[in-house]
Amino acid sequence: MTLKYLITGATGGLGKQVLNYFTANVPLSEFAVASSSAANKSIFENCGIAFRHVNYDDPQSLEAGLRDVENLLFVSTGDKHRGEQHANVIEAAKNAEVKHIWYTSLAFGGFQDTSKAPVMQDHLLTERLLKESGLTYTSIREGVYAECFTIFLDWYAERSGTITLPADGEVAYTSRAELGEATARIMINGGYENQVVLFTAGETITAREIVDIINETTDRQIKLDLVSREECLRAWMRDPRDKPREHFEMIATVWDEIVRGALRTTHPLLREILGREPTKPRDFVRRLLEEDRNYVFPY
């Protein structure tokens, strides 16, 4: 029996939002969820949602799980072996004759393939593999989650005095819930065959503007200090949370890309798919901090 939609990553931040929209708007008989954890089977089936066990590291589970699927929501992983895992998914989808893959990529570089951000390289590889596979696909370059602004600023509630960064620049931070809804809607509506599309908020915001919002909404007096990359890394390494250097080098490389304008591109497609204006980054950040003055993205 053909399954119209299979949603991977349904327990993750983006996939959960996609599933929420499907559950509210699509008959349960038309979709199923997939997870690498068999323990999730009863959780979903108790809600009336069909379950398939799919492990990106296991080609056999992939081919069994993707059998008779028309539309596959292919949620990218955060694993260090992501490139190999994604290649496994594409090969299995080809063997299973999946009709359309909807891949969740990232918005670094906008529509360009020139981003040097390490986090973007596996996405560019996956898009290339999709193009070469002969499968029908749509790569959705999802805007950077607005919820993650605290990571980019290395902001945490106990911090006082100064936020130290190696640079500042514009970022089109986008609501994860709106990205999930739009991803579900575009799958259901169809189209965009063999295209890269971009989902972003309609405006950008800078770190300095976010610091102003932090101060306005939490009654703090935080200052932004822009220093050299190495000086910034040294300051970050004094972090009392005991984060590894690799974590801070990752943030620094993101700022390298922001300075080059890699996260500045905005596009109206998210508004068109949602049928309304996406939440502006400044409004989203303000709302988060008004709800919880000590808000920090959990990671």
Side-chain angles (χ1 to χ4, degrees):
M1 179 179 175
T2 300
L3 180 66
K4 194 165 186 180
Y5 306 100
L6 181 64
I7 302 167
T8 68
T11 59
L14 180 66
K16 187 181 297 183
Q17 299 296 336
V18 174
L19 179 61
N20 287 344
Y21 189 85
F22 267 84
T23 302
N25 295 279
V26 177
L28 296 181
S29 60
E30 293 188 3
F31 67 92
V33 300
S35 172
S36 61
S37 174
N40 289 324
K41 177 180 173 69
S42 61
I43 296 173
F44 290 112
E45 289 187 344
N46 288 342
C47 297
I49 301 171
F51 177 86
R52 294 190 179 190
H53 181 229
V54 169
N55 187 330
Y56 286 8
D57 291 311
D58 180 2
Q60 284 189 323
S61 84
L62 280 165
E63 293 202 18
L66 303 188
R67 191 173 297 129
D68 300 321
V69 170
E70 291 188 5
N71 291 275
L72 171 66
L73 176 64
F74 174 12
V75 175
S76 56
T77 74
D79 192 276
K80 63 181 180 181
H81 302 297
R82 175 166 53 192
E84 181 179 342
Q85 291 173 327
H86 288 188
N88 289 342
V89 174
I90 292 168
E91 182 64 22
K94 187 174 180 178
N95 292 338
E97 299 182 342
V98 170
K99 298 296 187 295
H100 194 141
I101 290 182
W102 304 84
Y103 174 64
T104 61
S105 184
L106 279 179
F108 280 82
F111 286 105
Q112 303 300 313
D113 298 338
T114 54
S115 173
K116 303 301 181 184
V119 71
M120 189 65 193
Q121 300 315 299
D122 285 335
H123 293 290
L124 294 174
L125 170 62
T126 303
E127 290 178 352
R128 187 163 66 250
L129 292 175
L130 284 167
K131 184 175 182 179
E132 294 170 354
S133 71
L135 290 160
T136 298
Y137 72 91
T138 305
S139 183
I140 306 168
R141 292 191 179 179
E142 313 268 2
V144 173
Y145 300 159
E147 292 87 344
C148 292
F149 80 88
T150 61
I151 298 177
F152 285 47
L153 270 64
D154 191 39
W155 159 260
Y156 51 95
E158 296 79 16
R159 179 184 290 284
S160 61
T162 303
I163 287 177
T164 304
L165 292 178
D168 196 2
E170 297 175 64
V171 179
Y173 287 109
T174 311
S175 159
R176 184 167 59 182
E178 291 176 347
L179 288 170
E181 178 185 340
T183 298
R185 283 177 176 268
I186 199 173
M187 288 179 65
I188 294 166
N189 293 342
Y192 302 94
E193 289 90 352
N194 302 322
Q195 294 183 38
V196 172
V197 301
L198 185 64
F199 281 170
T200 71
E203 296 184 2
T204 62
I205 193 170
T206 65
R208 189 170 299 281
E209 289 171 318
I210 291 177
V211 170
D212 288 342
I213 293 171
I214 291 172
N215 289 334
E216 291 167 9
T217 56
T218 70
D219 197 29
R220 288 178 167 97
Q221 294 183 340
I222 304 297
K223 295 181 180 179
L224 176 63
D225 189 16
L226 300 180
V227 299
S228 71
R229 197 179 197 277
E230 283 305 312
E231 187 178 350
C232 188
L233 284 169
R234 286 196 296 271
W236 285 346
M237 287 302 294
R238 295 192 289 271
D239 190 314
R241 298 167 298 167
D242 196 29
K243 296 284 185 181
R245 181 179 175 87
E246 291 76 15
H247 168 80
F248 297 114
E249 287 177 341
M250 178 274 292
I251 298 175
T253 61
V254 169
W255 279 106
D256 292 341
E257 286 292 287
I258 291 173
V259 169
R260 298 187 187 107
L263 294 176
R264 184 176 59 207
T265 303
T266 61
H267 194 269
L269 183 59
L270 182 62
R271 182 186 71 238
E272 293 167 13
I273 298 296
L274 290 175
R276 63 181 187 275
E277 287 291 337
T279 306
K280 297 176 182 178
R282 66 184 67 254
D283 293 339
F284 194 93
V285 171
R286 185 179 301 277
R287 186 176 68 204
L288 280 178
L289 293 170
E290 286 175 345
E291 292 174 353
D292 178 5
R293 70 185 303 273
N294 295 321
Y295 170 80
V296 175
F297 183 75
Y299 68 100

